Amino acid sequence: GNWGHGSTRHTEVYASFGDALNSYKNLVKVARSDIREWISDDQISESEQIDEEAGTANFEIYEDGDFTRLHDTISITKKEVI
């Protein structure tokens, strides 16, 4: 069979979790509309965890039953900047 794998790594730095979260929510919207161009709603699975105290957020959207084909991950991680 044919195997294909695509991955985009894009990192941005924000002064506050609030700023990062606004951008994250925007990216989640884009990911949701992008995947709908390829597959129908009943084929989409997603998961999300937001922990404001830890300063982390993670969102994944993918084709149900085929995690590798159409898969998008958006996350926020708190880092100490020196």
Side-chain angles (χ1 to χ4, degrees):
N2 293 324
W3 294 89
H5 180 73
S7 160
T8 309
R9 230 171 226 301
H10 178 75
T11 303
E12 289 180 23
V13 178
Y14 298 91
S16 73
F17 182 68
D19 291 346
L21 197 60
N22 284 340
S23 179
Y24 161 91
K25 286 178 177 171
N26 228 18
L27 290 168
V28 165
K29 271 186 215 155
V30 171
R32 282 184 173 137
S33 77
D34 280 356
I35 203 164
R36 281 172 173 77
E37 289 177 24
W38 297 95
I39 53 178
S40 59
D41 280 7
D42 60 341
Q43 293 175 291
I44 297 170
S45 285
E46 59 178 65
S47 68
E48 182 172 46
Q49 299 87 32
I50 296 176
D51 184 343
E52 295 202 24
E53 229 163 89
T56 62
N58 191 66
F59 173 81
E60 286 187 280
I61 191 163
Y62 50 92
E63 184 174 356
D64 196 22
D66 192 353
F67 191 71
T68 55
R69 197 166 85 85
L70 293 167
H71 180 211
D72 209 345
T73 304
I74 300 159
S75 57
I76 297 174
T77 313
K78 191 174 186 177
K79 300 252 194 255
E80 200 59 49
V81 179
I82 297 164

